[in-house]
Amino acid sequence: MKIAVCADETYPVHAALLRLLEIHGHTPMRFGAFTGGDVSWPEAVEAAAEAVAAGTCDEGIFLCWTGTGTCIAANKVASIRAALCTDATTAAAARVWNHANVLCLSHRLLTDDLADEILRAWFTTDPGDRGREGVARLAAVDRRHRR
């Protein structure tokens, strides 16, 4: 899969994240600080989320200091279901119950080992049908508020 990777600042964990994506057989598509230098997070996230929404990228992994800002910004783009995850169990649950298509992570909390655990859970958890009804109801809420 093509994975949009986006951040507002450059951190050492980015190298591990890119390596892990390639180990898992994915192609990182770089946005924001992944293209070099610090950037404004709202615009960088918007561009990356639009790539996911348009299908240019299959999914996204977005980072900022807490992960909260990138998650909020990503969820402003129609059809994005971004989830802020701090552990592997939450990442797996976001896939199953929310059919999340963007994983948001915190630079402050992320280590190389934790990144590996979270990515492994994210990429090996099949969303399946268990969360389908909730996702459909969420889409209805989204439609009501995007008029």
Side-chain angles (χ1 to χ4, degrees):
M1 287 192 295
K2 289 183 181 176
I3 308 297
V5 291
C6 181
D8 58 341
E9 297 179 81
T10 303
Y11 277 81
V13 73
H14 290 183
L17 186 71
L18 293 170
R19 185 179 69 252
L20 289 166
L21 284 173
E22 291 172 359
I23 287 170
H24 289 284
H26 305 296
T27 303
M29 304 301 290
R30 299 167 187 238
F31 294 84
F34 279 95
T35 64
D38 296 351
V39 298
S40 170
W41 58 269
E43 289 82 9
V45 169
E46 180 182 25
E50 285 176 343
V52 175
T56 306
C57 293
D58 300 293
E59 297 178 0
I61 300 175
F62 304 169
L63 302 97
C64 69
W65 182 245
T66 65
T68 304
T70 59
C71 192
I72 292 169
N75 281 314
K76 299 290 184 190
V77 175
S79 80
I80 296 299
R81 290 176 309 282
L84 173 57
C85 300
T86 57
D87 59 70
T89 301
T90 304
R95 299 290 276 176
V96 170
W97 300 112
N98 311 117
H99 293 194
N101 56 4
V102 172
L103 171 63
C104 295
L105 300 169
S106 166
H107 280 133
R108 184 178 66 80
L109 299 176
L110 198 60
T111 65
D112 293 7
D113 289 338
L114 184 57
D116 184 41
E117 292 172 16
I118 293 172
L119 290 185
R120 193 177 310 271
W122 181 264
F123 289 122
T124 61
T125 302
D126 179 14
D129 289 329
R130 291 182 288 175
R132 186 168 22 116
E133 183 180 328
V135 172
R137 289 177 185 214
L138 177 61
V141 170
D142 191 54
R143 283 190 302 277
R144 287 194 296 272
H145 291 275
R146 287 196 191 265
R147 294 181 211 177

